[in-house]
């Protein structure tokens, strides 16, 4: 029993020995902004904090904060979050921005000065003072707006198609090549896609009536792939529903023409009603693309002197190649009709509201390009071949 008591005392002493470091662990060093340090009992930490002592050495490190108006302030790191919450920043970079001038200069200004600089023609983004231009090899360059003219003088262009030619292979591959390499590519089996119009080469105008509709975008995909242009004679009543498609057509270089509000035979209407069919459709087109059409196509090709006189500012566009796609609803027959009848200056009639027509277009567009025709809009065809477009007359082909 005695031995056991000794043993208990020993273990008690051991426990005390182990307890001493524990007492030390309950002391924490606190830091004052003036550099003093003080070891305090952990239970007193909050008390010391409340009278200006800090928990970490890094809390009393002096840092500089930056305001967007250019002021700076030296504070303790412990105060950083409070300053950030009221609009101060950690670095000088964060409170200043780079602004851009159209002549290529840049300047660093404080954020708060941005609007004042904006008012004297400095800009926030380099995209605001530059455009993308293409050199003679088709390489992209960012050109400051003040330098656009001298870039143009060197043969650069904003339009890739001005300096590069879209070429395609029979298997459907497409590439852009520098214009001086076009002949070399043609010699090894490539064909010319769309691009700037060469007035000396054959050209035809493909036209689509009665849309826009569910297949118009599929046709646009094909025109886009080959860089080809076409003209869409739309019904005013369908334009609102397909406004995105109509504006996409324009962005691809296609033309929008007027095909009356609801496909009415104009020959059977009074001058007032003719005018109303045309005007309401012109307005619908204007709402979709921000421009009025230059042309109309009378439904069924039906017109009279009264019709032409009622629409004196626009020509009536007829056709010279009638594919009868609306009747056959057969892509092969539509292709045969086009390839069998098309000549230089032809205006080809199809309808973009029929699915077989959209299928046929995928053969017709590359097929006509392979035969050497440029695919242009009706307005391009008339203005290149005639110099200007007359109103109150008809055109059915333009040689
Ligand atoms: Ni029609």
């Amino acid at each position: 029993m005695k031995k056991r008591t000794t043993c208990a005392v020993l273990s008690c002493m051991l426990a005390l020995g182990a307890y001493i470091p524990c007492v030390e662990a309950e002391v924490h060093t606190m830091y004052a902004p003036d550099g003093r340090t003080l070891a305090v009992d952990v239970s007193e930490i909050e008390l010391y904090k409340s009278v200006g002592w800090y928990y970490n050495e890094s809390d009393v490190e002096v840092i500089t904060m930056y305001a967007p108006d250019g002021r700076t302030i030296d504070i303790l790191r412990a105060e950083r979050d409070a300053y950030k919450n009221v609009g101060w920043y950690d670095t000088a970079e964060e409170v200043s921005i780079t602004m851009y001038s159209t002549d290529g200069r840049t300047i660093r200004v404080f954020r708060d000065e941005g609007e004042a600089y904006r008012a004297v023609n400095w800009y926030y983004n380099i995209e605001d003072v530059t455009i993308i231009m293409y050199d003679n090899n088709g390489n992209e360059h960012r050109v400051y707006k003040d330098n656009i003219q001298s870039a143009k003088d060197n043969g650069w262009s904003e339009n890739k198609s001005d300096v590069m030619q879209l070429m395609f292979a029979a298997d459907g591959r497409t590439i852009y090549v520098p214009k001086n390499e076009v002949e070399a590519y043609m010699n090894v089996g490539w064909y010319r896609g769309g691009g700037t119009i060469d007035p000396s080469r054959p050209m035809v105008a493909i036209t689509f009536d009665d849309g826009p509709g569910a297949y118009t975008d599929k046709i646009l995909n094909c025109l886009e792939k080959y860089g080809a242009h076409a003209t869409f004679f739309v019904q005013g009543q369908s334009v609102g529903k397909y406004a995105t498609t109509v504006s996409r057509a324009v962005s691809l270089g296609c033309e929008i023409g007027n095909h009356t509000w609801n496909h009415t035979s104009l020959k059977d209407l009074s001058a007032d009603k003719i005018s109303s069919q045309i005007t309401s459709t012109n307005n619908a087109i204007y709402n979709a693309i921000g421009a009025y059409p230059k042309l109309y196509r009378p439904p069924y090709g039906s017109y009279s002197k009264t019709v032409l006189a009622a629409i004196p500012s626009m020509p009536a566009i007829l056709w010279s190649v009638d594919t009868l796609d609306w009747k056959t609803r057969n892509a092969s027959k539509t292709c045969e009709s086009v390839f069998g009848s098309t000549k230089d200056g032809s205006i080809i009639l199809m309808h973009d509201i029929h699915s077989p027509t959209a299928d046929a277009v995928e053969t017709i567009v590359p097929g006509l390009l392979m035969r050497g025709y440029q695919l242009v809009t009706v307005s391009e065809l008339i203005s290149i071949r005639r110099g200007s477009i007359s109103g109150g007359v008809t055109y059915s082909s333009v040689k």
Side-chain angles (χ1 to χ4, degrees):
M1 285 301 284
K2 215 175 181 184
K3 248 187 177 178
R4 273 190 190 172
T5 311
T6 315
C7 226
V9 170
L10 255 172
S11 52
C12 181
M13 284 171 70
L14 278 170
L16 272 170
Y19 185 65
I20 291 162
C22 282
V23 170
E24 282 177 351
E26 293 216 353
V27 172
H28 180 79
T29 303
M30 300 290 286
Y31 300 86
D34 61 9
R36 285 173 300 149
T37 61
L38 189 62
V40 305
D41 190 274
V42 288
S43 64
E44 295 174 321
I45 287 173
E46 290 307 315
L47 177 67
Y48 276 85
K49 275 187 176 177
S50 71
V51 292
W53 289 78
Y54 291 90
Y55 191 83
N56 298 308
E57 187 170 13
S58 62
D59 289 339
V60 295
E61 183 192 339
V62 175
I63 59 169
T64 302
M65 301 280 293
Y66 301 83
D69 60 5
R71 285 174 299 150
T72 61
I73 191 168
D74 290 338
I75 59 161
L76 301 178
R77 181 174 294 282
E79 300 167 318
R80 171 179 172 271
D81 288 348
Y83 275 81
K84 286 208 82 158
N85 286 340
V86 293
W88 290 77
Y89 291 84
D90 290 319
T91 62
E93 284 69 35
E94 287 173 273
V95 294
S96 62
I97 52 173
T98 301
M99 294 196 71
Y100 302 87
S101 161
T102 54
D103 60 8
R105 286 174 299 149
T106 62
I107 192 170
R108 286 294 282 189
V109 304
F110 289 110
R111 280 181 190 279
D112 285 4
E113 299 172 323
E115 282 305 296
Y117 276 84
R118 183 62 200 86
V120 291
N121 292 322
W122 289 82
Y123 294 84
Y124 289 113
N125 303 303
I126 194 165
E127 290 79 10
D128 296 332
V129 295
T130 56
I131 62 163
I132 299 295
M133 295 187 78
Y134 298 89
D135 67 22
N136 295 321
N137 293 312
N139 298 315
E140 270 188 37
H141 300 272
R142 193 175 281 288
V143 176
Y144 285 97
K145 288 184 176 171
D146 289 4
N147 301 334
I148 290 173
Q149 191 52 53
S150 64
K152 282 184 177 167
D153 293 344
N154 285 326
W156 295 19
S157 172
E158 300 162 50
N159 302 312
K160 197 171 187 178
S161 63
D162 288 345
V163 292
M164 300 287 280
Q165 175 64 48
L166 174 66
M167 304 290 290
F168 68 95
D171 62 9
R173 283 174 297 151
T174 58
I175 47 169
Y176 274 95
V177 305
K179 292 226 156 156
N180 58 8
E181 294 175 22
V182 169
E183 293 303 322
Y185 273 83
M186 290 183 84
N187 288 338
V188 293
W190 288 79
Y191 299 92
R192 223 188 285 253
T196 39
I197 304 166
D198 179 348
S200 68
R201 291 177 48 228
M203 63 187 80
V204 297
I206 297 177
T207 67
F208 297 99
D209 285 12
D210 299 359
Y215 308 109
T216 310
D217 266 302
K218 182 177 174 182
I219 290 170
L220 291 177
N221 292 344
C222 180
L223 295 169
E224 179 173 28
K225 176 177 176 183
Y226 294 103
H229 296 172
T231 304
F232 294 84
F233 288 99
V234 299
Q235 293 189 60
Q237 64 176 353
S238 304
V239 169
K241 185 179 172 192
Y242 290 99
T244 311
T245 301
V246 172
S247 70
R248 180 185 171 209
V250 172
S251 74
L252 296 177
C254 292
E255 179 168 21
I256 305 300
N258 185 322
H259 197 45
T260 75
W261 182 258
N262 55 0
H263 210 266
T264 305
S265 174
L266 295 175
K267 207 166 68 173
D268 307 325
L269 300 182
S270 66
D272 278 356
K273 291 223 165 105
I274 293 168
S275 186
S276 142
Q277 281 278 335
I278 295 298
T279 303
S280 57
T281 303
N282 280 351
N283 290 338
I285 291 169
Y286 184 89
N287 288 337
I289 67 173
Y292 290 106
K294 298 193 193 89
L295 325 164
Y296 72 99
R297 170 169 283 158
Y300 317 103
S302 132
Y303 70 99
S304 63
K305 280 185 180 170
T306 310
V307 171
L308 297 181
I311 314 165
S313 61
M314 302 162 89
I317 305 302
L318 306 171
W319 54 85
S320 59
V321 177
D322 190 353
T323 62
L324 298 178
D325 63 330
W326 58 274
K327 199 171 180 182
T328 65
R329 308 280 178 100
N330 180 301
S332 308
K333 289 201 164 125
T334 303
C335 293
E336 280 167 30
S337 168
V338 169
F339 295 137
S341 309
T342 298
K343 302 187 192 99
D344 182 25
S346 288
I347 296 177
I348 301 164
L349 172 62
M350 291 189 274
H351 298 79
D352 53 327
I353 54 169
H354 302 305
S355 179
T357 298
D359 293 338
V361 165
E362 294 184 341
T363 303
I364 289 168
V365 167
L368 289 174
L369 291 167
M370 285 174 176
R371 286 161 172 79
Y373 292 111
Q374 303 175 92
L375 302 184
V376 300
T377 66
V378 173
S379 283
E380 286 168 342
L381 177 65
I382 299 172
S383 41
I384 286 169
R385 289 283 163 85
R386 295 285 183 270
S388 65
I389 303 172
S390 305
V393 300
T394 64
Y395 295 91
S396 51
S397 69
V398 193
K399 291 190 187 70

